[in-house]
Amino acid sequence: MKLKNQVFILSFLIISIPILCSIFVLIHTYLHSPNRYLMQGSEEIQKIYYSNIPEEDIINLKKSLKLLPANVEAILLQISTRKVLYSTMSEIEAGKYMQKGEVWNFAADTSETYFYQFTQIPSKKSDTLLITRVPQKKVATEKKTKTILKVLLAVILITFLSLAFIIFISRNIFHWLKKIENSSRQLAEGKLDTPIEASITPIQENEFSNIMHSLETMRCELLEMQASKNRFIMGISHDLRTPVSVIKGYSEAIMDGVISEKNEIKKSMELMEQKTEQLESMIDTLINFMKLNNFEIKEKLVENSITGLIMDFAKYAEVTGKVFKRNVHTDINLPREIKLPLNEQLIQRSFENLLSNAIRYTKENDLIEIKSYLKQEDETENIILEIQDTGTGIDKKDLDHIFDIFYRGTNSRQEEGMGVGLTVVKSIMETHGWKITVESQKNKGSCFTVTIPLK
């Protein structure tokens, strides 16, 4: 069942139950109300009250009085003779003559138990007085009934207000659900260029608006993934095309007889072998990059000495620097043995990649500094590893993209490679929960900083 139908059913139940209860209470109150009983014969008595009653119609009046409810007691008194013509009060018998003021005294004595009403029967002589009384408990019940009616009125008012509120909420929910449905369809259809609008004020913030913001974030990430995929395809097609074209060109030249001398054929075959190895290396790089699954790597983390690993890397850097004629200075200031869960092979590969970049973008006798020390930040102790060079540096426009896959900066476009080295490094660092940042100035060098939190 659709959510819309479920909400309608719920709204109907919420509305109908109090309305039905109110109707039931109203009917019950009406059926048990004294006013309902007083209505029987009241119109006939009222007509008698407001008509001229001759003496001979007293009998008819007595018959009418018998129509009153049992709890309403009455006396019909002839004023001139003080004779009780009719009585349903047990204390006063019909036919009895009452002294002057005796009726008033009797009513005063029993006023705590009954409510009295005195009505003079309109006639030419005005000689007849009707005295009725009702028990005070009955009157209290009538007051209670009025109170109940007021409560019922309040319940009905609240019910209608609830109805209006439910309608407002339902429309708001359906409005947001419709927007979420349209936005989800937009993402499903691949329309990523159109932003998902969720422009609302802070007061209007709710769970639905949070979903809209999440969908917009998803759209941006999908757009970035799409761009990354396009760069991936373009990078593969560009970087793989060169060695393939060389191999194809030389093989066709040999087959067509363009290259026929033995020495030329040998040189061509050697060049084709170099390009084949380059192509194989590039394919291995891609395969290794695609294998970098964070969950698989995390399962292979083993407790190892990060202190020893950094010191070994520093020694390796010094030896490599001498081979490539670079001045490599190291300053490892880690006062104690520190062990962390890590994948030693991947971390070594990452550090060596950073060193390789430093050597590649520096000239002979340039300086490369490797420092490592402890640093306290926000109640957390971190190991800091800095690899700084005095090479060509990185253009400002390239600085924000050097960790993107297949992105190759201005300085690296003339060199072999696929632009995945730093992407792999960052992926490995993030898998370990580490952080890598870079600072650089054109023609002044670069500094890559690895932050390793001690958990």
Side-chain angles (χ1 to χ4, degrees):
M1 184 181 294
K2 291 185 177 181
L3 180 61
K4 183 176 181 180
N5 296 335
Q6 295 182 34
V7 174
F8 274 135
I9 292 174
L10 178 62
S11 302
F12 173 78
L13 292 175
I14 292 174
I15 296 167
S16 61
I17 290 175
I19 290 178
L20 291 175
C21 292
S22 301
I23 293 174
F24 171 79
V25 174
L26 285 171
I27 294 174
H28 182 271
T29 303
Y30 168 75
L31 292 176
H32 294 80
S33 173
N35 294 331
R36 178 173 177 270
Y37 295 104
L38 289 173
M39 288 175 64
Q40 296 181 0
S42 61
E43 293 182 359
E44 186 175 350
I45 293 174
Q46 188 176 12
K47 291 178 182 177
I48 295 174
Y49 284 172
Y50 293 97
S51 60
N52 294 327
I53 306 177
E55 183 110 5
E56 59 270 16
D57 290 339
I58 294 296
I59 296 175
N60 294 331
L61 179 60
K62 292 178 181 179
K63 291 180 180 180
S64 298
L65 292 175
K66 291 179 180 179
L67 297 175
L68 291 172
N71 63 319
V72 179
E73 299 176 295
I75 295 176
L76 192 62
L77 181 66
Q78 191 173 31
I79 299 175
S80 58
T81 61
R82 296 188 179 84
K83 181 180 179 181
V84 178
L85 302 177
Y86 175 82
S87 174
T88 57
M89 298 182 187
S90 58
E91 299 92 333
I92 301 175
E93 298 177 356
K96 176 182 177 181
Y97 288 89
M98 304 189 71
Q99 301 295 326
K100 186 176 182 180
E102 185 177 354
V103 174
W104 310 107
N105 293 334
F106 170 73
D109 293 338
T110 57
S111 61
E112 294 182 358
T113 308
Y114 297 95
F115 286 107
Y116 285 88
Q117 182 175 0
F118 297 83
T119 306
Q120 189 171 1
I121 303 299
S123 64
K124 292 180 180 180
K125 296 182 179 180
S126 298
D127 193 39
T128 308
L129 180 66
L130 177 63
I131 305 171
T132 55
R133 72 179 184 182
V134 179
Q136 288 192 16
K137 290 184 179 180
K138 192 67 178 179
V139 175
T141 303
E142 292 176 358
K143 290 183 178 179
K144 185 177 180 181
T145 302
K146 291 181 180 179
T147 303
I148 293 175
L149 289 176
K150 292 179 180 179
V151 173
L152 288 175
L153 181 62
V155 170
I156 293 173
L157 180 61
I158 293 173
T159 300
F160 280 105
L161 290 176
S162 301
L163 173 61
F165 191 62
I166 289 173
I167 292 174
F168 172 77
I169 292 178
S170 300
R171 290 185 61 184
N172 187 49
I173 291 175
F174 295 146
H175 167 74
W176 279 107
L177 289 177
K178 191 67 177 177
K179 292 186 70 174
I180 292 174
E181 180 185 4
N182 293 336
S183 301
S184 302
R185 186 183 297 111
Q186 173 185 329
L187 294 178
E189 293 174 355
K191 300 176 181 177
L192 304 179
D193 294 330
T194 305
I196 295 175
E197 297 183 1
S199 55
I200 58 174
T201 61
I203 300 177
Q204 296 174 315
E205 286 284 347
N206 52 38
E207 292 80 1
F208 291 112
S209 64
N210 293 336
I211 294 175
M212 293 294 292
H213 291 313
S214 299
L215 289 175
E216 172 61 13
T217 303
M218 183 187 300
R219 184 195 69 84
C220 295
E221 291 180 354
L222 288 173
L223 196 61
E224 177 60 29
M225 289 177 63
Q226 188 179 68
S228 178
K229 182 181 71 173
N230 293 336
R231 290 197 301 269
F232 183 87
I233 296 172
M234 292 298 294
I236 290 177
S237 60
H238 177 270
D239 290 314
L240 297 183
R241 185 183 292 115
T242 301
V244 170
S245 298
V246 172
I247 295 172
K248 182 180 179 182
Y250 278 99
S251 62
E252 288 178 351
I254 294 172
M255 292 176 64
D256 294 340
V258 176
I259 301 176
S260 56
E261 295 183 5
K262 187 175 180 180
N263 291 333
E264 292 181 355
I265 293 175
K266 184 179 180 181
K267 291 180 180 179
S268 299
M269 295 298 292
E270 290 176 352
L271 183 58
M272 290 169 61
E273 184 180 5
Q274 291 177 4
K275 293 301 178 182
T276 302
E277 291 176 354
Q278 180 185 348
L279 183 61
E280 184 180 12
S281 175
M282 296 169 75
I283 293 174
D284 288 340
T285 301
L286 281 174
I287 292 174
N288 291 332
F289 175 73
M290 299 307 294
K291 285 182 177 180
L292 281 177
N293 185 297
N294 289 349
F295 298 103
E296 293 179 359
I297 294 174
K298 286 182 178 179
E299 291 178 356
K300 297 179 181 179
L301 299 184
V302 180
E303 195 86 6
N304 270 313
S305 172
I306 185 63
T307 307
L309 189 61
I310 292 176
M311 288 182 174
D312 290 342
F313 167 66
K315 293 177 182 178
Y316 166 80
E318 290 176 352
V319 173
T320 305
K322 291 178 181 179
V323 173
F324 289 94
K325 298 180 181 180
R326 303 294 191 272
N327 293 322
V328 178
H329 294 174
T330 61
D331 181 13
I332 309 302
N333 187 15
L334 298 176
R336 65 180 188 274
E337 182 77 9
I338 301 173
K339 291 187 176 183
L340 292 174
L342 53 87
N343 187 309
E344 185 175 355
Q345 182 179 1
L346 291 178
I347 295 300
Q348 285 178 346
R349 176 182 173 186
S350 300
F351 291 169
E352 290 172 5
N353 186 290
L354 296 175
L355 177 63
S356 175
N357 285 342
I359 292 174
R360 180 184 301 175
Y361 297 112
T362 55
K363 299 176 182 179
E364 289 186 9
N365 300 319
D366 277 356
L367 177 64
I368 298 175
E369 292 184 287
I370 298 175
K371 300 178 182 178
S372 185
Y373 53 90
L374 292 176
K375 184 178 181 181
Q376 191 78 19
E377 291 181 351
D378 300 330
E379 300 181 356
T380 302
E381 193 174 25
N382 299 321
I383 294 178
I384 305 298
L385 174 64
E386 296 178 353
I387 302 175
Q388 186 172 2
D389 63 67
T390 57
T392 58
I394 304 171
D395 283 349
K396 188 176 181 180
K397 62 180 181 179
D398 298 327
L399 205 55
D400 294 333
H401 302 284
I402 60 172
F403 293 110
D404 296 346
I405 185 171
F406 293 117
Y407 186 85
R408 301 180 68 182
T410 306
N411 296 334
S412 62
R413 288 174 185 167
Q414 304 301 324
E415 302 178 12
E416 293 183 355
M418 301 187 67
V420 297
L422 288 178
T423 307
V424 172
V425 171
K426 184 176 181 182
S427 178
I428 293 173
M429 295 300 172
E430 291 180 346
T431 300
H432 285 76
W434 302 357
K435 181 181 178 182
I436 182 170
T437 57
V438 60
E439 295 179 359
S440 182
Q441 289 185 9
K442 187 65 176 175
N443 299 321
K444 290 186 178 181
S446 305
C447 180
F448 285 84
T449 303
V450 179
T451 304
I452 306 171
L454 303 182
K455 299 179 181 178

